[in-house]
Every structure is written in C-alpha cells, then in structure tokens.
C-alpha cells in the first residue's frame, strides 16, 4: 500500500518544545483551536504554518509521536508491576492499566499510519518528562518488595501526569478530529487512573 507523502515533521526536540509550550498555554486557559499558541523559534524555523490536512498539523504529529512511545514504555513497566508488586492492589491496578494502555496503542498506531508518520520512536535517546526510560526499567527490575512498589508508583504517576498534560494541549490546539477525540479520551482515562493510584496502599508515602 502506497502512503501519501506528508510534509516533513519537525525534529524530535522541536516537537517536544512545541508540546511543552502548548501545555503551558493550555494550563493558563488561553489556547484554543481557533487561535493556536505561538511556537518557539526552533519550530517556526523548521516548519510551515500549520494547516489542516490528511497528515494533520505539527501539533497533531508531535502529540501522536510522543504519546505512542510513552505508552509503549509504560506498558513495559506495568508488565513488571503486574507480576512483581508486593501489594496485591498495586498488582491489580497495574494489570488493569496495562490493558487500558495497550488498548490506547491499538488506536495510536493506526493514527500514525493514517497520518503517514513512521512507527519508530523519534524521541529515542531524549530525556522526555513522563517517559519511562531503559534506566527506569533496569531500576525496577533490580528493586524488590515495598521498594519496587514505591518506584513503580512514582514513575507511573509521572507518566500519567505528563501524558495527560500533552494530551490536553492536543485537544486545545490540534486540528485532526480523530487525534483530538483520542487525546480527550486519554485525558479522561489519565484522570481516572491518577485518582485510583493515589488511593492505593503505600501511595501517600511513595508520592509525598
């Protein structure tokens, strides 16, 4: 199947800079789809002004290319927690959340394909807030008992918070209807998961 060739998206650091700016603006309540937030110079110099198209805008591309690896890395950590967490309720939470995040990947990956974007991790090697890293996974594999639970709760809380933040930015400033619908669904799911997480045994001590 031959894909249409979209305009070249900004480089990974520029994508992240765009999402962070959008997240900050959305949090301040001043970003709307009709009046997009101003973009940093690095993005303005590498991408044309956004225009709705089959491939979406730079905001849409930035969001889906960040959210997909974020979920993939979170699933790896959740798989460990579902098997190794000391507290049964934490194991049950990890099992449910893993299923939810895998279901989201079942929608994110087809969205990447529809937008003509590569299914590779364009953020590999970058320090992305909320992204579970290989070092995080190694530390989780080495931890046991209550120490594992504390590490897991902290890392997955960060993942949920940051993925919700950038998804709100997509809802506020994205152009593709399918991407905005999925982002809105992710925000709702993250809020529910955070509420459940904060009520788990050991969460108060782990999260401060």
């Amino acid at each position: 199947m031959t894909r249409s060739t979209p305009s070249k998206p900004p480089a990974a650091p520029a994508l992240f800079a765009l999402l962070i700016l959008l997240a900050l603006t959305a949090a301040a309540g001043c970003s709307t789809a009709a009046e997009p937030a101003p973009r940093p110079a690095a993005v303005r110099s590498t991408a044309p002004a956004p225009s709705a198209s089959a491939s979406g805008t730079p905001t849409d591309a930035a969001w889906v290319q960040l959210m997909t690896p974020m979920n993939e890395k979170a699933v790896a950590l959740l798989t460990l927690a579902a098997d190794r967490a000391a507290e049964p309720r934490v194991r049950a939470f990890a099992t449910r959340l893993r299923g939810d995040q895998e279901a989201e990947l079942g929608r994110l990956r087809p969205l990447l394909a529809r937008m003509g974007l590569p299914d590779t991790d364009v953020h590999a090697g970058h320090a992305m807030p909320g992204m579970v890293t290989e070092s995080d996974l190694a530390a989780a594999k080495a931890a046991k008992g209550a120490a594992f639970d504390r590490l897991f709760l902290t890392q997955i809380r960060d993942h949920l918070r940051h993925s919700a933040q950038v998804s709100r930015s997509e809802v506020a400033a994205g152009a593709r209807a399918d991407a905005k619908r999925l982002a809105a669904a992710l925000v709702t799911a993250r809020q529910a998961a955070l509420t459940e997480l904060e009520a788990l045994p050991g969460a108060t001590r782990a999260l401060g």
Side-chain angles (χ1 to χ4, degrees), residues 7 48 78 95 102 116 130 145 165 176 181 184 194:
S7 58
L78 289 162
T95 300
E102 287 174 336
Q165 185 180 34
R176 285 185 64 106
R181 283 193 301 269
L194 282 166

Side-chain angles (χ1 to χ4, degrees), residues 43-146:
V43 177
R44 289 197 300 268
S45 64
T46 58
S51 60
S53 68
S55 60
T57 67
T59 301
D60 298 316
W63 176 75
V64 71
Q65 287 188 297
L66 176 60
M67 197 56 52
T68 303
M70 284 188 78
N71 267 32
E72 289 171 345
K73 296 296 187 181
V75 164
L77 178 61
L78 289 162
T79 298
L80 282 176
D83 180 60
R84 300 184 58 184
E87 166 59 49
R89 285 177 58 187
V90 174
R91 289 200 304 272
F93 169 77
T95 300
R96 290 193 301 274
L97 187 57
R98 177 181 61 185
D100 292 343
Q101 301 252 312
E102 287 174 336
E104 290 171 0
L105 284 170
R107 298 176 67 185
L108 286 162
R109 288 167 177 153
L111 178 58
L112 276 171
R114 291 196 300 274
M115 294 174 69
L117 297 169
D119 58 4
T120 54
D121 181 2
V122 299
H123 297 289
H126 302 134
M128 312 297 291
M131 183 83 76
V132 177
T133 66
E134 291 302 322
S135 295
D136 293 332
L137 290 173
K141 290 175 182 177
K144 296 180 181 179

Side-chain angles (χ1 to χ4, degrees), residues 190-203:
R190 298 297 182 272
Q191 291 171 333
L194 282 166
T195 298
E196 184 178 359
L197 182 152
E198 290 165 0
L200 289 172

Side-chain angles (χ1 to χ4, degrees), residues 17-29 162 165-169:
L18 171 61
L19 281 171
I20 289 297
L21 180 62
L22 289 171
L24 292 173
T25 307
H162 285 284
Q165 185 180 34
V166 295
S167 292
R168 290 187 188 97
S169 301

